Amino acid sequence: MSFLKSLRCRECGREYPKQALYVCEYCFGSLEVNYDYDAIQKVISRESIAKGPKSLWRYRDLLPLEGNPSAGFYSGFTPLVKADILAKELDVKELYVKDDSVCHPTWSFKDRVVAVALSRARELGFDTVACASTGNLANSVSANAAWAGFKRYIFIPHNLEKAKIVASLVYAPQLVAVNGNYDEVNRLCSEIAAKYKWGFVNINLRAYYAEGSKTLGFEIAEQLGWRAPDHLVAPAASGSLITKIWKAFKEFDKLGLLENKLKTKIYCAQPQGSSPIATAILEKADVIKPVKPQTIAKSLAIGNPADGYYAKDVIQDSGGSAAIVSDDEIRDGIKLLARTEGIFTETAGGVTVAAAKKLINQGLIPRNESLVLAITGNGLKTQEAIQEAVGAPYQIEPNLDSFEKTVMGSEKKHPETVR
Ligand SMILES: *Cc1c(COP(=O)(O)O)cnc(C)c1O
Ligand SMILES: [Zn+2]
């Protein structure tokens, strides 16, 4: 059963056929998927979802396919970790970490959007898929396209982390490092997409792709016992993830799937060197000013965010706010999450943790209400960002004496992490 009706312009509302289209011919607004919610309402329930597969496909009634999925069978359904030790450190009552650092198969939430985009690409008849990426999308399209049997062209800025390059190349894509930043890569890809009949997951398939991010929000609500949290902090690059988490809560609310009244406040986390959305929010500006990104959080290094205005609206409509954090705060955020909860996140996750800490200390997030942090990627991919900041192992000789002198006699103390 498919509930995918059409595509619709987010600005003027004009409808378009459900093809690989992404801009409105009349007003240049971006297109969004339009569902038949009345029909969905008749079949969906908490029970029907709970009976589904332990993957993001348990929400397939709210995803933009006409038939069965053909990619990303094991993606999503990541843990929602009750983060009691971190809660104590941050002095808040009820804290959870949505841990997409362990999403299958490439350890970031991008596996969600790619599962949906590649399934739709197959339905639309593409044999080649492509993307413009800040790193994690490159990994995910490379891996998922290998599994699903697509030819694959991947475009990245030349200065990505080594692990993100290796973890793309290993899946044998045509990997193209462009001598420019993400915004330049993206512009080039728009030209290529106009000329070659490829499914660019975040360009001509963007309307479908973006819907995959909703599953992060659906899971949070389901895992909280069909409740939306009071507060949610998520990182932003293009701003798409934030808009879709909000859309997920709204859809669950509209379909009567939530136990509580939806009043989630959404907060945007961005790094100092690339914070166009957060800056506009904090300065109460109408205009989002593009920037030239310069940050260790390379997965968030988008200076001209495609969904910036929509993200800003969501944050402001929800009553949330934003925080901007420095590279040092990002490193501290990564280490704090690891030391307290045993979760090693990448730089984007460090941005989220550091931003949450700031928002709590500023009194913008109250200490006695439920809070979820969206941890979107894995720390093993961005080791160079913190290798200088984590210290070094003890060096000893292979004998007891050396161990006792060097290790047990050391002043270094174990941090207290007894649960
Ligand atoms: C892509 C990415 C984001 C940001 O996603 P947008 O939808 O572009 O805002 C956040 N975290 C990680 C780890 C990412 O790879
Ligand atoms: Zn339009």
Side-chain angles (χ1 to χ4, degrees):
M1 188 83 175
S2 170
F3 305 106
L4 173 59
K5 271 208 321 213
S6 60
L7 297 176
R8 189 161 57 194
C9 175
R10 280 154 122 182
E11 296 301 324
C12 74
R14 274 192 178 80
E15 293 205 21
Y16 289 85
K18 41 195 177 186
Q19 297 301 318
L21 301 170
Y22 65 111
V23 274
C24 176
E25 288 169 17
Y26 293 88
C27 76
F28 300 107
S30 59
L31 304 185
E32 186 169 39
V33 170
N34 181 26
Y35 297 98
D36 183 350
Y37 286 109
D38 291 334
I40 294 173
Q41 178 86 67
K42 292 201 181 88
V43 300
I44 206 167
S45 65
R46 291 174 199 149
E47 295 70 36
S48 75
I49 292 171
K51 271 201 303 236
K54 289 189 169 28
S55 73
L56 56 83
W57 296 112
R58 65 206 276 107
Y59 310 106
R60 62 163 298 182
D61 290 344
L62 291 162
L63 293 172
L65 294 188
E66 291 178 273
N68 289 323
S70 56
F73 283 10
Y74 312 101
S75 299
F77 212 70
T78 58
L80 182 74
V81 176
K82 182 110 197 303
D84 289 339
I85 295 180
L86 181 58
K88 212 183 274 175
E89 288 258 350
L90 298 177
D91 194 16
V92 292
K93 205 174 108 205
E94 192 185 351
L95 179 67
Y96 304 86
V97 168
K98 179 57 174 167
D99 188 6
D100 263 21
S101 77
V102 292
C103 205
H104 183 85
T106 66
W107 301 358
S108 88
F109 92 93
K110 292 296 198 303
D111 291 326
R112 299 176 182 276
V113 284
V114 172
V116 174
L118 295 199
S119 293
R120 187 65 186 144
R122 169 110 331 124
E123 290 187 341
L124 292 173
F126 290 103
D127 66 359
T128 304
V129 292
C131 68
S133 171
T134 57
N136 283 312
L137 186 61
N139 295 169
S140 189
V141 173
S142 300
N144 281 290
W147 188 81
F150 287 99
K151 285 178 242 169
R152 39 209 184 266
Y153 286 83
I154 311 293
F155 297 84
I156 53 172
H158 65 103
N159 65 346
L160 284 192
E161 299 92 342
K162 196 166 152 207
K164 284 188 179 157
I165 293 172
V166 173
S168 295
L169 284 173
V170 73
Y171 306 106
Q174 304 298 316
L175 183 70
V176 186
V178 178
N179 191 10
N181 62 30
Y182 173 82
D183 299 285
E184 292 166 310
V185 174
N186 194 46
R187 212 172 311 127
L188 168 64
C189 284
S190 297
E191 274 181 59
I192 296 172
K195 177 152 184 196
Y196 293 84
K197 297 277 157 269
W198 297 345
F200 265 91
V201 302
N202 55 341
I203 299 177
N204 53 0
L205 297 173
R206 190 171 179 87
Y208 307 102
Y209 154 98
E211 291 288 292
S213 286
K214 290 192 306 190
T215 61
L216 190 114
F218 293 148
E219 284 174 24
I220 290 170
E222 184 180 352
Q223 290 167 318
L224 284 173
W226 304 101
R227 303 176 72 83
D230 297 325
H231 306 273
L232 181 137
V233 183
S238 72
S240 176
L241 172 66
I242 280 188
T243 64
K244 296 297 175 173
I245 293 175
W246 180 241
K247 184 176 181 188
F249 293 159
K250 287 274 234 209
E251 284 184 340
F252 265 18
D253 189 41
K254 181 156 72 177
L255 294 164
L257 298 171
L258 292 181
E259 293 272 357
N260 60 344
K261 191 169 165 301
L262 175 58
K263 58 179 180 70
T264 309
K265 294 186 169 145
I266 311 264
Y267 304 81
C268 162
Q270 289 205 297
Q272 211 161 55
S274 185
S275 64
I277 302 171
T279 299
I281 290 165
L282 294 175
E283 292 179 354
K284 298 190 170 50
D286 290 333
V287 176
I288 295 177
K289 265 201 256 143
V291 300
K292 237 185 155 62
Q294 184 62 51
T295 170
I296 59 167
K298 296 184 184 193
S299 56
L300 302 183
I302 296 185
N304 190 8
D307 289 289
Y309 286 98
Y310 300 110
K312 181 169 162 288
D313 285 350
V314 157
I315 292 154
Q316 286 167 339
D317 292 351
S318 76
S321 184
I324 298 169
V325 298
S326 69
D327 285 354
D328 279 341
E329 288 173 308
I330 295 169
R331 290 188 195 95
D332 287 347
I334 293 172
K335 287 165 66 182
L336 178 60
L337 183 64
R339 172 167 65 76
T340 54
E341 297 300 328
I343 294 169
F344 184 15
T345 185
E346 70 149 85
T347 44
V351 172
T352 302
V353 173
K357 185 172 172 176
K358 193 166 268 189
L359 291 159
I360 293 162
N361 288 336
Q362 289 170 339
L364 288 166
I365 295 179
R367 296 184 188 274
N368 59 350
E369 296 181 6
S370 63
L371 168 61
V372 173
L373 309 184
I375 295 302
T376 48
N378 192 291
L380 289 170
K381 294 193 195 181
T382 62
Q383 294 187 46
E384 49 268 70
I386 57 152
Q387 66 194 16
E388 305 292 319
V390 290
Y394 297 103
Q395 298 285 348
I396 68 168
E397 296 310 313
N399 63 61
L400 188 60
D401 187 47
S402 177
F403 166 69
E404 292 191 326
K405 269 209 195 99
T406 315
V407 182
M408 301 313 285
S410 150
E411 289 297 304
K412 260 205 247 175
K413 290 263 170 5
H414 270 285
E416 269 175 57
T417 51
V418 180
R419 206 166 269 271

